[in-house]
Amino acid sequence: AQSVTQLGSHVSVSEGALVLLRCNYSSSVPPYLFWYVQYPNQGLQLLLKYTSAATLVKGINGFEAEFKKSETSFHLTKPSAHMSDAAEYFCAVSAYTGGFKTIFGAGTRLFVKA
Amino acid sequence: KAGVTQTPRYLIKTRGQQVTLSCSPISGHRSVSWYQQTPGQGLQFLFEYFSETQRNKGNFPGRFSGRQFSNSRSEMNVSTLELGDSALYLCASSQTTGGSYEQYFGPGTRLTVT
């Protein structure tokens, strides 16, 4: 079974400040981990993914995430927030058990203040 | 390559009716998954199809069903609609290559049940 916990339903940062969105997961089999971003009235866009290669994963738009197995975490960071980063972010875990199943976290809405 | 397409984009139905949503995956992708997104429950996995076979299923009542055709296009059907079925329904197509797994999402179908 899989589960995902995103800490903080809302995060507010100033433009230029560090963005840190937290995600903890559990999975009974080796997982694939993802971060997605969703803008209003749109689908999900993949930011980055972890698939058992490098533990530090770089994604689009300057985002990166570090897989820490001992802490079962996959936190998303960006050194300097931009106004255009304001959106909802979802952490997800996929696992193969005869077929793929993806579980999403509840989402974190990021606000960026000028 | 063209992305995942979903039709229709918006739909209004009345309680008790049924509805069919369509998803065309990225060319060459054989797996399609469906998700329901609501403000209260977030993103929930409905089912996954691969080569016309349902491989995995979420915890939804039997009113929710799906199928996949030989060209990988997929449909999901909801019968006897309830107000709580109002949601954004997202389809994702995926491929697994070299041990890597990635899903690509469509823009979604916004279903409103009145």
Side-chain angles (χ1 to χ4, degrees), chain A residues 32 34 36 38 41-46 49 51-52 88 90 94-106, chain B residues 9-10 33 35 37 42-43 45 48 55-59 88 90 96 99-108 110:
Chain A
Y32 297 98
F34 306 89
Y36 291 91
Q38 187 176 38
N41 299 314
Q42 293 187 25
L44 298 173
Q45 180 183 9
L46 179 67
K49 63 179 181 181
T51 55
S52 78
E88 187 144 26
F90 293 93
S94 297
Y96 184 83
T97 53
F100 278 100
K101 183 175 182 178
T102 299
I103 302 299
F104 285 86
Chain B
R9 291 292 312 278
Y10 301 91
S33 297
Y35 300 85
Q37 185 177 25
L43 277 154
F45 172 79
E48 185 220 18
R55 291 199 303 189
N56 226 326
K57 189 176 187 306
N59 297 324
L88 180 67
L90 292 165
T96 308
S100 176
Y101 173 71
E102 191 167 320
Q103 290 186 102
Y104 299 84
F105 283 82
R110 171 79 59 187

Side-chain angles (χ1 to χ4, degrees), chain B residues 15-107:
Chain B
R15 269 183 303 175
Q17 288 185 315
Q18 74 163 12
V19 67
T20 298
L21 312 181
S22 181
C23 172
S24 292
I26 292 171
S27 177
H29 287 192
R30 294 166 63 189
S31 173
V32 172
S33 297
W34 288 89
Y35 300 85
Q36 181 196 65
Q37 185 177 25
T38 60
Q41 299 298 317
L43 277 154
Q44 294 186 283
F45 172 79
L46 278 156
F47 24 67
E48 185 220 18
Y49 285 87
F50 179 83
S51 293
E52 302 179 66
T53 300
Q54 186 182 92
R55 291 199 303 189
N56 226 326
K57 189 176 187 306
N59 297 324
F60 278 82
R63 300 186 297 107
F64 292 81
S65 62
R67 58 178 177 169
Q68 187 181 33
F69 302 95
S70 58
N71 62 358
S72 294
R73 190 177 69 84
S74 177
E75 290 180 346
M76 68 162 282
N77 183 276
V78 188
S79 63
T80 319
L81 283 165
E82 300 176 0
L83 294 178
D85 297 332
S86 294
L88 180 67
Y89 290 88
L90 292 165
C91 163
S93 76
S94 61
Q95 61 178 357
T96 308
T97 54
S100 176
Y101 173 71
E102 191 167 320
Q103 290 186 102
Y104 299 84
F105 283 82

Side-chain angles (χ1 to χ4, degrees), chain A residues 3-113:
Chain A
S3 69
V4 180
T5 302
Q6 289 185 242
L7 299 174
S9 59
H10 297 84
V11 169
S12 182
V13 300
S14 298
E15 195 172 20
L18 171 72
V19 175
L20 171 59
L21 305 183
R22 299 177 188 272
C23 172
N24 289 89
Y25 72 93
S26 70
S27 178
S28 54
V29 299
Y32 297 98
L33 296 167
F34 306 89
W35 276 98
Y36 291 91
V37 61
Q38 187 176 38
Y39 296 97
N41 299 314
Q42 293 187 25
L44 298 173
Q45 180 183 9
L46 179 67
L47 278 177
L48 48 80
K49 63 179 181 181
Y50 167 77
T51 55
S52 78
T55 56
L56 183 61
V57 180
K58 293 188 184 300
I60 62 171
N61 301 338
F63 285 95
E64 62 181 40
E66 186 173 9
F67 171 69
K68 292 187 176 181
K69 186 176 180 180
S70 60
E71 298 176 10
T72 60
S73 69
F74 191 57
H75 301 332
L76 181 72
T77 60
K78 181 174 180 177
S80 177
H82 192 272
M83 297 297 286
S84 61
D85 295 327
E88 187 144 26
Y89 292 80
F90 293 93
C91 180
V93 57
S94 297
Y96 184 83
T97 53
F100 278 100
K101 183 175 182 178
T102 299
I103 302 299
F104 285 86
T108 297
R109 183 162 295 278
L110 176 66
F111 297 91
V112 182
K113 300 174 292 186

